[in-house]
């Protein structure tokens, strides 16, 4: 997909010409020229925001896709720009009707800029896999940390910004999480669906990372977010789309799911991530990595370079972690044994498979496996709403003269669209290459005990079993 470039250099708003020395243009490889307004620059030019340059957007994916070295810094600039474009588009066509003013525009843009400022190292690995192992029962989220970091940046750098604006910025950041905003009477609810859409999942965050990640990994992308931004309208305080764009919206979710399968949870990427998690867990007691999440003034110091810290430290307490990182560097990875897709009728009641499940499925004789020899990855891929069709929550309209919004049953559009909206894949890895054969056999036994069949597509190759 080609870059979403502006036909001409965008000019700052008229009200900003007195501050042009305090504003900037940057050239983004996805969206072209991006205008950064003076208030946004006050946030960008801080050590807390610049930290995003040291957080790769796709974590360990660059170890498999060498081009995937883009960071959360450029993604945040992209979301900032698209958020501004989206609200400007709504103002252009419905500004008087909706009462969109410059305060609203600035608020939405700041929410887009700062939505990931609290993100942890290595994409979602830090929040979803590392923290649950070292802090049982934790409910920490990068969205909540982003709101804390926003307050910290404002206080630390004495940024003169309207407190009501910052309250709404933080609510917009949390809009897609369970701790999102309350509906206040008279609020412009539709503004909270632009950056992080908790209502139906269509938002500019996805618009940016789908195109950006596809390009960085050298993959094609036929999803065109421009069509959605140009045709969206607000009806009943909700952003709606023309009915003829149904398949474009579906392509948004389908492309995202394809990126998950192809890139984000690629078997090799997951092998490396499992090793990084083990390295961080081993190092946590000594480095107290998990303690960083308690204080924004310390948290901003935590980024992907934690791996280099471990790798180069001479301390004996970090020896096991260093060995794991050295194995990653020398491509001596956890060995992928096999995988299977959970049968469709078993997905609803599926419980995560554990290393203990595999070890307990080993037959007597041969190598005696231990739980620490096995790594299991339970991979969920869906269209954002689990087993449900995300398009059921999206409202459409007939044409620009229409004042009625409606949902569209998928069988009214095409019988080629999927009837199942979630995949559950179980993958098993051997932490030592000489155990691939024993673990593969135990994994097959587990499937037979669980489902009465070997659900995997094929047996583990003999060549891999013999690898030492």
């Amino acid at each position: 997909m080609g870059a979403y470039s502006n036909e001409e250099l965008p000019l700052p708003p008229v009200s900003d010409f007195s501050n042009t020395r305090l504003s900037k243009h940057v050239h983004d490889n996805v969206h072209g020229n991006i205008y950064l307004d003076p208030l946004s620059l006050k946030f960008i030019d801080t050590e807390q925001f610049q930290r995003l340059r040291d957080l790769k957007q796709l974590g360990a994916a660059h170890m498999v896709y060498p081009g995937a070295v883009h960071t959360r810094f450029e993604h945040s600039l992209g979301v900032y720009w698209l958020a501004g474009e989206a609200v400007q588009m709504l103002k252009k066509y419905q500004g008087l009707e909706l009462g969109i003013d410059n305060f609203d525009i600035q608020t939405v843009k700041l929410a887009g800029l700062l939505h990931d400022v609290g993100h942890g190292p290595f994409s979602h690995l830090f929040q979803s896999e590392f923290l649950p192992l070292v802090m049982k029962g934790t409910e920490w989220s990068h969205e909540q940390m982003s709101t804390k970091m926003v307050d910290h940046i404002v206080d630390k750098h004495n940024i003169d910004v309207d407190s009501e604006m910052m309250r709404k910025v933080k609510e917009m950041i949390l809009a897609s999480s369970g701790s999102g905003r309350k509906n206040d009477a008279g609020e412009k609810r539709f503004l909270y669906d632009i950056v992080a859409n908790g209502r139906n999942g269509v938002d500019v965050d996805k618009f940016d990372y789908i195109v950006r990640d596809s390009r960085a990994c050298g993959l094609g992308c036929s999803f065109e977010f421009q069509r959605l931004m140009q045709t969206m309208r607000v009806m009943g305080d909700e952003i709606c789309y023309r009915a003829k764009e149904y398949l474009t919206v579906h392509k948004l979710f389908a492309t995202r799911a394809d990126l998950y399968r192809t890139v984000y949870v690629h078997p090799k990427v997951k092998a490396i991530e499992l090793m990084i998690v083990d390295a961080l867990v081993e190092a946590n007691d000594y480095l107290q990595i998990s303690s960083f999440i308690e204080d924004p003034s310390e948290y901003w110091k935590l980024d992907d370079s934690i791996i280099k810290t471990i790798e180069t430290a001479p301390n004996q307490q970090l020896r096991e972690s260093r060995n794991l990182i050295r194995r990653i560097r020398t491509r001596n990875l956890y060995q992928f044994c096999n995988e299977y897709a959970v049968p469709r009728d078993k997905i609803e009641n599926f419980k995560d498979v554990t290393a203990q499940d595999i070890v307990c499925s080993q037959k007597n004789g041969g190598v005696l496996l231990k739980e620490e020899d096995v790594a299991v990855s339970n991979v969920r891929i869906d269209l954002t709403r689990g087993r449900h069709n995300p398009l059921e929550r999206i409202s459409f309209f007939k044409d620009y003269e229409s004042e009625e919004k409606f949902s569209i049953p998928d069988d009214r559009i095409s019988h080629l669209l999927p009837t199942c909206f979630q995949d559950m894949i179980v993958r098993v890895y051997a932490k030592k290459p000489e155990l691939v054969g024993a673990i593969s056999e135990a994994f097959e036994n587990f499937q037979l005990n669980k489902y009465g069949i070997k659900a995997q597509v094929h047996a583990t190759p003999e060549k891999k079993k013999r690898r030492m």
Side-chain angles (χ1 to χ4, degrees), residues 91-132:
K91 182 180 181 181
K92 175 180 178 180
Y93 292 109
Q94 295 178 276
L96 292 177
E97 171 193 347
L98 300 175
I100 297 174
D101 53 29
N102 289 336
F103 180 92
D104 297 325
I105 295 171
Q106 185 71 74
T107 303
V108 173
K109 288 165 63 179
L110 280 178
L113 181 71
L114 301 171
H115 78 287
D116 267 354
V117 75
H119 222 290
F122 305 106
S123 192
H124 293 271
L125 174 154
F126 183 80
Q127 172 179 328
S128 302
E129 300 186 44
F130 166 68
L131 285 181

Side-chain angles (χ1 to χ4, degrees), residues 17-141:
F17 270 112
S18 61
N19 289 323
T20 50
R21 289 178 59 192
L22 304 177
S23 62
K24 288 182 181 178
H25 284 94
V26 298
H27 187 80
D28 179 64
N29 68 343
V30 173
H31 305 300
N33 289 299
I34 293 177
Y35 167 71
L36 302 176
D37 63 76
L39 179 56
S40 297
L41 274 175
K42 290 181 180 180
F43 286 91
I44 293 171
D45 294 337
T46 64
E47 63 270 32
Q48 291 80 14
F49 190 88
Q50 292 293 318
R51 161 184 176 268
L52 299 181
R53 293 183 185 270
D54 297 315
L55 294 178
K56 289 188 175 62
Q57 175 77 8
L58 299 186
H62 69 286
M63 300 291 288
V64 177
Y65 291 90
V69 292
H70 56 302
T71 68
R72 296 211 170 261
F73 182 85
E74 51 260 49
H75 166 63
S76 295
L77 295 188
V79 177
Y80 156 87
W81 178 250
L82 290 183
E85 292 286 278
V87 71
Q88 289 279 16
M89 193 74 69
L90 292 175
K91 182 180 181 181
K92 175 180 178 180
Y93 292 109
Q94 295 178 276
L96 292 177
E97 171 193 347
L98 300 175
I100 297 174
D101 53 29
N102 289 336
F103 180 92
D104 297 325
I105 295 171
Q106 185 71 74
T107 303
V108 173
K109 288 165 63 179
L110 280 178
L113 181 71
L114 301 171
H115 78 287
D116 267 354
V117 75
H119 222 290
F122 305 106
S123 192
H124 293 271
L125 174 154
F126 183 80
Q127 172 179 328
S128 302
E129 300 186 44
F130 166 68
L131 285 181
L133 291 176
V134 297
M135 300 179 67
K136 304 294 184 183
T138 181
E139 296 182 357
W140 185 92
S141 72

Side-chain angles (χ1 to χ4, degrees), residues 279-373:
L280 294 178
V281 170
E282 287 286 344
N284 188 59
D285 285 344
Y286 183 72
L287 295 179
Q288 295 294 300
I289 301 168
S290 57
S291 68
F292 283 71
I293 69 172
E294 298 169 5
D295 184 358
S297 65
E298 293 296 319
Y299 182 74
W300 76 270
K301 303 171 185 177
L302 182 63
D303 55 43
D304 290 353
S305 66
I306 186 66
I307 289 296
K308 180 63 72 173
T309 298
I310 296 171
E311 186 178 21
T312 57
N315 310 76
Q316 180 65 19
Q317 296 92 329
L318 297 175
R319 183 172 59 86
E320 292 298 326
S321 295
R322 281 199 302 273
N323 289 340
L324 283 166
I325 297 169
R326 187 176 298 113
R327 285 184 60 180
I328 294 174
R329 299 293 194 198
T330 58
R331 213 65 175 182
N332 180 17
L333 307 178
Y334 291 172
Q335 291 297 304
F336 172 69
C337 296
N338 218 319
E339 68 178 15
Y340 71 85
V342 176
R344 184 182 301 186
D345 60 341
K346 306 292 184 183
I347 290 179
E348 183 174 358
N349 299 314
F350 176 80
K351 294 182 179 179
D352 282 356
V353 177
T354 66
Q356 184 182 41
D357 292 328
I358 306 305
V359 171
C360 291
S361 299
Q362 185 182 24
K363 292 182 179 179
N364 294 329
V367 179
L368 181 62
L369 296 176
K370 302 175 184 178
E371 286 185 42
E372 53 265 33
D373 296 327

